[in-house]
Amino acid sequence: MGTQNVSEAHIERICPADNEQCLKLEKAAIKIQSWWRGNMVRWTLLHAALRAWVIQCWWRSMQAKMLEQRRRLALRLYTCQEWAVVKVQAQVRMWQAHRRFLQVYQAAWIIQSHWRWHASQTRGLIQGRYEVRASQLELDIEILMT
């Protein structure tokens, strides 16, 4: 039997004498057809829902992967920026320390030169002149032996 209702003309050809029996057969055929159609619709809906569920699972997994990639990229960018900041800070601190060292070195050099001049003047052994210009040293020394 197809999915269409059995027509009355067809039923009359099968059993023209007993019309009541034919109506019962028609009702039974209609019930079977509706049961079959209902099963087919439920089966189709079930498979459509399963396919949709598979697609949704795939999409959620893809979104999770993309989110993880974005998180890793952001972490990598943050790490690079932090290292850049640390390197700049280290360079500035090194420059400051070097500048301070040069100031202390120059001060020590001046103190030593003045001390040596004073010591040589009091002993009378070494006479000389020390002069610092910018970053160069000009030195004239006379040594007297007595």
Side-chain angles (χ1 to χ4, degrees):
M1 278 188 220
T3 57
Q4 298 176 355
N5 290 340
V6 180
S7 67
E8 282 186 32
H10 184 67
I11 293 175
E12 287 178 9
R13 275 187 282 150
I14 295 174
C15 53
D18 193 7
N19 230 358
E20 192 174 312
Q21 177 109 13
C22 287
L23 288 176
K24 287 182 184 178
L25 285 173
E26 182 181 354
K27 286 181 182 179
I30 290 172
K31 282 186 179 181
I32 292 171
Q33 289 172 354
S34 65
W35 172 82
W36 179 253
R37 275 193 232 114
N39 281 342
M40 292 303 291
V41 167
R42 283 188 291 279
W43 183 85
T44 304
L45 290 176
L46 174 67
H47 283 272
L50 288 175
R51 290 180 186 120
W53 179 72
V54 167
I55 292 170
Q56 289 169 353
C57 288
W58 172 81
W59 179 247
R60 286 186 196 113
S61 70
M62 291 304 295
Q63 282 183 324
K65 286 179 185 177
M66 289 187 296
L67 182 65
E68 180 65 19
Q69 286 176 346
R70 279 185 286 196
R71 189 189 66 79
R72 285 185 184 189
L73 181 64
L75 182 62
R76 208 175 305 143
L77 179 64
Y78 174 77
T79 305
C80 288
Q81 289 174 345
E82 285 297 311
W83 272 108
V85 167
V86 167
K87 286 182 181 182
V88 168
Q89 288 173 345
Q91 290 292 324
V92 169
R93 288 184 186 126
M94 185 177 69
W95 175 76
Q96 289 174 338
H98 185 68
R99 198 170 113 220
R100 180 71 181 139
F101 170 78
L102 290 178
Q103 289 173 347
V104 169
Y105 180 77
Q106 187 177 13
W109 187 84
I110 290 172
I111 291 170
Q112 288 174 353
S113 66
H114 285 299
W115 178 256
R116 289 179 187 138
W117 178 81
H118 177 69
S120 69
Q121 293 297 321
T122 57
R123 285 188 212 145
L125 297 176
I126 301 176
Q127 292 183 354
R129 183 175 63 94
Y130 301 97
E131 192 175 317
V132 177
R133 291 185 185 164
S135 63
Q136 296 178 355
L137 169 65
E138 187 176 309
L139 180 62
D140 291 330
I141 298 177
E142 291 181 22
I143 301 174
L144 301 173
M145 295 288 225
T146 51

